[in-house]
Amino acid sequence: DYWPNRGHMDVQGLTVKYTEAGRAVLSDISFSVEGGHSVGLLGRTGSGKSTLLSALLRLASTDGDISIDGVSWSSVSLHSWRKAFGVVPQKVFILTGTFRMNLDPYSRHSDEELWRVAEEVGLKSVIEQFPDKLDFQLEDGGYVLSNGHKQLLCLARSILSKARILLLDEPSAYLDPITLQVLRKTLKQSFSDCTVILSEHRVEPLLECQSFLMIEGSSIKTYDSIQKL
Ligand code: ATP
Ligand code: MG
């Protein structure tokens, strides 16, 4: 029950391909992330940032080993592995179901808590606009919501699930400057002890990261300051 505790990640010799015969998008990469640190993930368009985040979630076919707090992904179930993570994808697909179900898939939280978290991420006024509020049914990937709002919904879900490791894939692409401030505040408030991997093209959202990963030509480099990039 107490795993993961610190959220320390070790990635060893990770190779990721989309097809058996295809080229490796990431080839034999290794790096570590300190538990509780925020790491900026950089690289050109198509370099493999989203691919790396999918691989961490075991959504892509991979060789190599990843462990969290010393526990290898080969020794825990897929379900337990994924439960360690909160994810805000680049393009969000919302499951058909109510706001409530999307925020709290296992019905673990009171309405009061759902509203508190919705407010924290700036979604309260959005949900209030819909008839039935939390019971409003989202259909067809949640097309009634903007992509930015869908990302905030994922963020709220990650707060509620008390994820130890948060993966954020280019949140700034769809969020306006005010919403980005909300995201920043949330990272400080609700994810201050968590390990955060933040994929970004822009420098500004990365300023609070303690280290950086740069993907270039299917390999990865680690930097401890943004000036060195
Ligand atoms: P961006 O900054 O545009 O989001 P990225 O760094 O996230 O780019 P990825 O989406 O990880 O890049 O893509 C890396 C490479 O993997 C690209 O060459 C892309 O064409 C390929 N790729 C991504 N998804 C798939 C897929 N589902 N099937 C096959 N190839 C894919
Ligand atoms: Mg991407």
Side-chain angles (χ1 to χ4, degrees):
D1 257 27
Y2 293 96
W3 177 87
N5 177 351
R6 295 172 51 232
H8 180 95
M9 299 186 72
D10 277 311
V11 174
Q12 272 305 322
L14 185 74
T15 294
V16 189
K17 288 179 180 177
Y18 279 98
T19 56
E20 204 51 52
R23 79 175 178 103
V25 177
L26 298 169
S27 178
D28 193 18
I29 63 169
S30 300
F31 62 90
S32 296
V33 177
E34 284 295 320
H37 274 199
S38 292
V39 178
L41 176 60
L42 298 104
R44 304 279 311 268
T45 290
S47 60
K49 301 181 294 298
S50 300
T51 301
L52 175 60
L53 298 181
S54 308
L56 297 179
L57 293 164
R58 291 160 74 173
L59 286 165
S61 115
T62 51
D63 280 331
D65 187 56
I66 303 180
S67 63
I68 301 174
D69 296 339
V71 175
S72 165
W73 64 354
S74 57
S75 65
V76 294
S77 71
L78 197 56
H79 179 75
S80 319
W81 183 264
R82 288 194 183 145
K83 246 176 54 188
F85 293 88
V87 190
V88 180
Q90 193 167 15
K91 290 191 199 96
V92 183
F93 188 86
I94 297 291
L95 297 175
T96 294
T98 59
F99 276 113
R100 184 195 307 284
M101 179 273 210
N102 270 286
L103 285 166
D104 181 20
Y106 301 103
S107 310
R108 291 202 176 126
H109 302 279
S110 65
D111 276 20
E112 203 186 343
E113 233 175 323
L114 298 188
W115 281 118
R116 183 190 62 73
V117 170
E119 181 159 32
E120 181 180 341
V121 303
L123 274 183
K124 186 166 179 259
S125 59
V126 176
I127 297 173
E128 280 173 342
Q129 282 166 20
F130 291 95
D132 305 330
K133 316 274 193 308
L134 284 172
D135 291 313
F136 180 78
Q137 179 87 7
L138 295 157
E139 317 239 0
D140 300 323
Y143 69 94
V144 293
L145 298 174
S146 72
N147 200 69
H149 284 155
K150 291 184 211 176
Q151 288 181 311
L152 294 177
L153 196 60
C154 294
L155 186 66
R157 184 196 298 146
S158 306
I159 295 174
L160 289 161
S161 74
K162 302 193 170 59
R164 204 79 204 82
I165 301 171
L166 182 67
L167 308 179
L168 295 154
D169 200 352
E170 287 191 47
S172 77
Y174 295 99
L175 302 180
D176 61 36
I178 292 168
T179 316
L180 269 177
Q181 285 307 317
V182 172
L183 171 66
R184 254 201 180 154
K185 210 176 101 213
T186 303
L187 290 181
K188 278 212 179 113
Q189 261 175 21
S190 293
F191 295 99
S192 58
D193 303 333
C194 293
T195 306
V196 177
I197 301 185
L198 172 60
S199 157
E200 268 300 336
H201 280 291
R202 294 172 29 187
V203 172
E204 207 218 320
L206 293 170
L207 292 177
E208 278 154 55
C209 292
Q210 283 108 352
S211 60
F212 301 89
L213 294 167
M214 169 76 116
I215 302 179
E216 217 170 39
S218 84
S219 59
I220 204 158
K221 284 195 186 116
T222 323
Y223 298 87
D224 55 13
S225 113
I226 204 159
Q227 274 84 36
K228 296 192 183 142
L229 283 170

